[in-house]
Amino acid sequence: MAFTRRGFLGSLGAGAAGAAILSSLPIESFAAATMDARLAGMDEPVVILSANENAYGMFPSAAAVAAEALRYGNRYPFRAYGELEQKIAAYNNVSAKQVLIGNGSSEVLAMAARAFTGPGRKLIAAVPTFESTAAYARAHNAEVVEVPLTANFAHDLDAMLARTGNDTGLIYICNPNNPTATLTPRRDIEAFLRKLPANTYVLIDEAYHHFATDAEDYVSFIEKPVDDPRIIVARTFSKVYGMAGLRLGYSVAAEETTKKLRLYQEADNGNVIALLAGLASLNDDRAMKAAVARNAADRAAFLRECSSRRVKVIPSYANFAMIETGRPVRDVIGHFRRLNVSIGRPFPRMEQYARVSFGRPADMDAFWKAWDVMPNMAKQ
Ligand code: PLP
């Protein structure tokens, strides 16, 4: 069914007055820039392969609950909040006192940066990696030390350790790493943790956890915890659960660490739609497994297309992959954009790699069609 603006308003039950208000908003330009324009009822299709979202949407069970949840929009969602905290705790086998809900896992990254970095308490992070934690630390007047990944695109834990001292407040480890979709082996991280100063916290970002679960070297620090109060694990509903637009994430850490993070949490930071949809998502194990299996199939299809064209790809443990472009990625991004395909932004030290999120088969057809007509752009 086409998702038109009129249909959307109709399903909201908004009257003519509501329609007038909404039509005065820049919905058109917003949609063109950030949403799948076809879903938004635009004439011109735009294929979005740029933000590692779940292109198939939320789980149907969660979408149904989200639609219902609108009717509770007038009330503070205290009960839904408490229930989701309990559910996340039960789901992860921890106590509710170890769980903090975030407005997206971005808020968890922000809380960690604010709690554990600042003047004289630096952040150590890889490059390239997901940049938000470093941005929050800088805004908190902390020095940020960037350590390049290894040749295998793992975190260079030896080099990170070498840069660590008593002035290191936080180390950010993104596993699987965005943008490379690669893993840092669990045993290496464990050995690294044992060597860190007592006052250095470690934020392990498991945003892409579900896509890596069958990898030999990967075990989540929530599923197999180490008894260490300095570890904070971040998870999100934006990826496998397809809820990027609703904003929901959480952290799991020791109770005493959670208390320190909570000081920087926004009050009432969860909306009723996201909270109830999150609950429904955690209750739908079957949909989660189906989403993981579908991503594995989409990843395999992507690799087949790469191999038939001799395109080199970094082994992926996520819902996206990095491919070698053999030319400046900015030119490649521009080429795709002209053909209405949006791929990942440029990343430091990866000037000849493009990050491509896996979409639906039709999205990927559009991607490969555009790839196949890429002109011989100037090599670097
Ligand atoms: N962490 C990583 C590694 C990400 O790639 C992203 C988003 O792409 C986030 C965190 C932020 O996700 P959100 O705030 O939507 O939970």
Side-chain angles (χ1 to χ4, degrees):
M1 193 181 72
F3 186 93
T4 60
R5 203 140 51 100
R6 189 189 291 166
F8 179 54
L9 290 172
S11 67
L12 276 180
I21 291 168
L22 277 187
S23 67
S24 70
L25 294 174
I27 285 180
E28 237 84 341
S29 57
F30 173 75
T34 61
M35 287 166 54
D36 183 324
R38 278 169 300 172
L39 285 180
M42 304 283 289
D43 294 336
E44 195 178 34
V46 176
V47 173
I48 306 282
L49 305 174
S50 50
N52 305 340
E53 298 145 341
N54 180 338
Y56 297 87
M58 294 165 61
F59 299 170
S61 56
V65 167
E68 275 294 300
L70 272 176
R71 75 173 66 205
Y72 306 112
N74 60 321
R75 301 287 181 196
Y76 286 104
F78 301 129
R79 179 150 176 210
Y81 202 97
E83 283 187 18
L84 180 61
E85 268 175 349
Q86 295 290 342
K87 178 73 199 174
I88 291 170
Y91 185 85
N92 291 299
N93 253 322
V94 296
S95 122
K97 291 187 175 152
Q98 294 178 257
V99 172
L100 272 186
I101 288 174
N103 180 19
S105 62
S106 294
E107 193 187 356
V108 170
L109 309 189
M111 285 188 265
R114 289 172 189 144
F116 302 119
T117 77
R121 294 164 81 207
K122 68 189 183 197
L123 171 79
I124 299 185
V127 62
T129 193
F130 189 63
E131 306 94 335
S132 289
T133 310
Y136 294 128
R138 283 192 186 100
H140 221 227
N141 298 313
E143 183 194 345
V144 175
V145 174
E146 294 184 324
V147 177
L149 298 172
T150 66
N152 291 332
F153 306 102
H155 285 69
D156 191 338
L157 298 173
D158 289 341
M160 289 175 119
L161 190 64
R163 304 294 302 273
T164 302
N166 284 329
D167 62 345
T168 305
L170 185 68
I171 298 177
Y172 175 67
I173 296 179
C174 187
N175 202 31
N177 187 46
N178 180 9
T180 49
T182 45
L183 295 177
T184 300
R186 163 81 187 212
R187 61 178 178 283
D188 296 354
I189 302 178
E190 282 183 21
F192 172 74
L193 294 173
R194 286 194 288 272
K195 295 178 207 150
L196 289 180
N199 58 349
T200 300
Y201 285 76
V202 180
L203 172 57
I204 302 182
D205 187 339
E206 296 186 355
Y208 300 97
H209 157 77
H210 292 90
F211 306 117
T213 42
D214 59 355
E216 228 175 70
D217 281 342
Y218 177 80
V219 188
S220 159
F221 276 84
I222 295 182
E223 280 169 18
K224 189 171 168 234
V226 289
D227 185 18
D228 190 330
R230 299 169 306 166
I231 297 177
I232 303 136
V233 184
R235 289 275 185 92
T236 181
F237 284 84
S238 298
K239 307 301 173 182
V240 75
Y241 298 111
M243 285 177 40
L246 291 191
R247 315 303 303 133
L248 189 65
Y250 63 89
S251 61
V252 172
E255 205 179 315
E256 67 213 76
T257 308
T258 300
K259 273 192 197 149
K260 291 183 180 156
L261 291 170
R262 196 188 295 281
L263 296 173
Y264 297 90
Q265 186 187 37
E266 294 293 328
D268 301 319
N269 65 342
N271 72 78
V272 70
I273 301 174
L275 295 168
L276 291 178
L279 259 174
S281 297
L282 290 183
N283 280 325
D284 198 342
D285 222 35
R286 190 198 289 205
M288 189 272 283
K289 289 196 171 108
V292 169
R294 192 176 48 204
N295 181 68
D298 289 344
R299 183 166 52 198
F302 186 78
L303 295 183
R304 279 198 302 277
E305 297 292 339
C306 288
S307 120
S308 74
R309 292 170 176 81
R310 295 175 197 277
V311 172
K312 286 198 194 135
V313 55
I314 300 175
S316 162
Y317 296 92
N319 60 345
F320 59 92
M322 269 202 142
I323 55 176
E324 268 189 52
T325 54
R327 61 197 80 202
V329 67
R330 279 169 208 281
D331 296 349
V332 176
I333 291 168
H335 164 77
F336 275 94
R337 204 67 197 87
R338 284 189 287 281
L339 295 174
N340 294 326
V341 178
S342 172
I343 61 170
R345 60 192 180 276
F347 289 93
R349 306 181 75 90
M350 308 288 287
E351 285 81 16
Q352 301 226 350
Y353 286 85
R355 193 194 67 187
V356 184
S357 310
F358 305 141
R360 296 158 293 189
D363 301 330
M364 302 320 288
D365 285 351
F367 172 82
W368 288 114
K369 269 195 193 119
W371 178 274
D372 289 339
V373 297
M374 194 150 50
N376 278 334
M377 292 186 278
K379 303 217 168 182
Q380 257 183 351

